[in-house]
Amino acid sequence: MDRLQSMRVFVKVADNGSFARSAAQMDLSAAVVTRHVAELESHLGVRLLNRTTRSLSLTGAGQVYLERCRQIIDDVDEADALISSASRDPKGTLKVVAPVSFGLRNLAPLVKKYQEMHPKVVVDLTLTDRAIDLVEEGYDCGILLTRMINSESLISRVLAETRVMLCASPAYIAEHGEPVTPQELGEHGVLGLPNDFWSDDRVFSGPDGEVRVRVQNKFICNNTALLRQSVLLGHGIAFLPSYLVGNDVRDGDLVALLRNFTQTPVDVSLVYPSRKYLSAKTRGFIDLTVEYFRQNEGISAAERWVPPKLPSPTTPNAEISL
């Protein structure tokens, strides 16, 4: 029995004082209306309506139950209207998660533009470099590196591709020399992320095929921005994402090492739990984010992350400086 529907039928019958009239108004047969009321009475174990050949009237129990049914139906309709409105009108809090350095360098213009478009939404952006369970932790969506995605059930859309660069400062190279093969990394001080970020082995593709080496870190930190600072100070060499150090390499503050060897690019993806029943706030963020990255010019030959272009309310395709 659909109890809520039976309650709606009972209220309609009580208001009309007629099974036939209620059936016509609800586009149901008289038999279906009668059955709903009968099943409700059977479920409750009491008679709700006094029936005669000429009229219907509420019993004492029916009068009490009618008022509670009205309240329940009103509450349900109000809840439905609230959620339905939220699905059309973006408002509330949008929880988003992204990697620390990538978020710091690239997401402020996106959030600004989104909130200009949807001023009723509060964006709650978390920056972290650990693996994320999007559903368990209550995020609406995430902009994540592949290794951070901790579920195969999520919808994932690749936004961009970044490369891992091995780099060092000119001062470090002047003092310690420059490795020319991956095997020579064991002779250098490597600054790295914890092992749960990457495997113990680093895999390179070179002129003679795949090369796999095990790197020993002399300094471990879970934040790539701090590792970048350490590399700039000449502390050692490090594997860092191109969006973080591409400009440093372009400007000569860092030197890209092992240029004849490459590593597998890393996808930056937009992830969210489901395509169905997305709230307006989430759908709006997804659509803007996809456009945000579609309009960027990619990663240049210097491995520099190029700031994307966002449409402006007054100046179409105005470039945003990061």
Side-chain angles (χ1 to χ4, degrees):
M1 177 181 67
D2 183 342
R3 195 182 308 175
L4 182 61
Q5 177 64 3
S6 294
M7 287 180 178
R8 292 185 186 277
V9 170
F10 167 64
V11 170
K12 184 66 71 173
V13 170
D15 289 343
N16 286 323
S18 167
F19 282 98
R21 194 178 305 122
S22 300
Q25 291 177 1
M26 300 186 76
D27 196 24
L28 299 171
S29 70
V32 169
V33 169
T34 301
R35 187 171 68 250
H36 270 292
V37 175
E39 288 180 349
L40 201 55
E41 290 178 324
S42 176
H43 170 74
L44 295 170
V46 297
R47 182 175 291 278
L48 299 173
L49 294 169
N50 292 314
R51 303 162 177 83
T52 70
T53 56
R54 293 180 178 274
S55 65
L56 292 174
S57 63
L58 289 164
T59 65
Q63 185 64 56
V64 173
Y65 193 63
L66 176 64
E67 297 308 314
R68 296 306 301 268
C69 285
R70 292 191 196 280
Q71 180 180 341
I72 290 169
I73 292 169
D74 286 345
D75 287 345
V76 170
D77 289 344
E78 182 181 351
D80 287 349
L82 178 65
I83 298 303
S84 178
S85 173
S87 69
R88 297 188 300 269
D89 181 23
K91 58 185 174 182
T93 299
L94 179 74
K95 292 193 66 178
V96 185
V97 62
V100 177
S101 297
F102 186 86
L104 288 172
R105 295 179 71 88
N106 297 289
L107 297 188
L110 173 63
V111 173
K112 178 177 181 292
K113 179 62 181 177
Y114 175 79
Q115 293 198 291
E116 289 173 350
M117 297 170 63
H118 306 297
K120 295 181 182 179
V121 179
V122 175
V123 176
D124 182 351
L125 174 61
T126 297
L127 299 181
T128 181
D129 287 326
R130 62 177 176 82
I132 295 294
D133 189 322
L134 209 69
V135 175
E136 183 70 22
E137 298 180 49
Y139 290 105
D140 295 295
C141 56
I143 299 174
L144 303 175
L145 305 181
T146 301
R147 62 163 183 78
M148 297 176 67
I149 302 173
N150 199 20
S151 173
E152 296 181 357
S153 63
L154 300 174
I155 307 300
S156 180
R157 303 176 65 172
V158 177
L159 299 172
E161 180 183 275
T162 186
R163 301 175 186 277
V164 177
M165 302 177 67
L166 180 65
C167 53
S169 69
Y172 176 89
I173 293 173
E175 181 176 354
H176 301 279
E178 178 178 346
V180 294
T181 67
Q183 291 84 347
E184 294 178 21
L185 292 178
E187 303 171 10
H188 292 266
V190 178
L191 320 179
L193 294 164
N195 287 339
D196 57 354
F197 284 76
W198 314 106
S199 64
D200 292 336
D201 294 343
R202 304 309 296 263
V203 181
F204 297 84
S205 295
D208 299 321
E210 182 179 286
V211 180
R212 184 181 297 267
V213 297
R214 178 154 296 192
V215 175
Q216 297 295 325
N217 295 320
K218 78 168 188 178
F219 173 51
I220 299 171
C221 179
N222 69 345
N223 185 279
T224 53
L226 194 146
L227 289 176
R228 168 183 170 271
Q229 293 177 16
S230 297
V231 174
L232 287 167
L233 290 172
H235 189 185
I237 63 179
F239 296 92
L240 293 171
S242 57
Y243 61 77
L244 183 61
V245 295
N247 288 346
D248 298 321
V249 172
R250 180 201 61 189
D251 297 339
D253 296 322
L254 291 178
V255 177
L257 308 175
L258 301 181
R259 289 181 176 272
N260 292 330
F261 297 85
T262 61
Q263 296 183 76
T264 303
V266 178
D267 289 336
V268 180
S269 299
L270 174 65
V271 295
Y272 47 98
S274 173
R275 289 190 178 94
K276 295 181 65 177
Y277 308 125
L278 283 173
S279 65
K281 64 183 180 183
T282 304
R283 170 55 63 190
F285 186 81
I286 290 170
D287 291 343
L288 180 62
T289 300
V290 170
E291 184 65 12
Y292 178 102
F293 284 92
R294 186 190 68 80
Q295 291 188 12
N296 80 63
E297 300 173 22
I299 300 174
S300 72
E303 302 295 345
R304 180 176 63 90
W305 179 261
V306 177
K309 296 178 180 178
L310 281 178
S312 167
T314 55
T315 307
N317 296 325
E319 185 165 357
I320 305 297
S321 297
L322 299 182

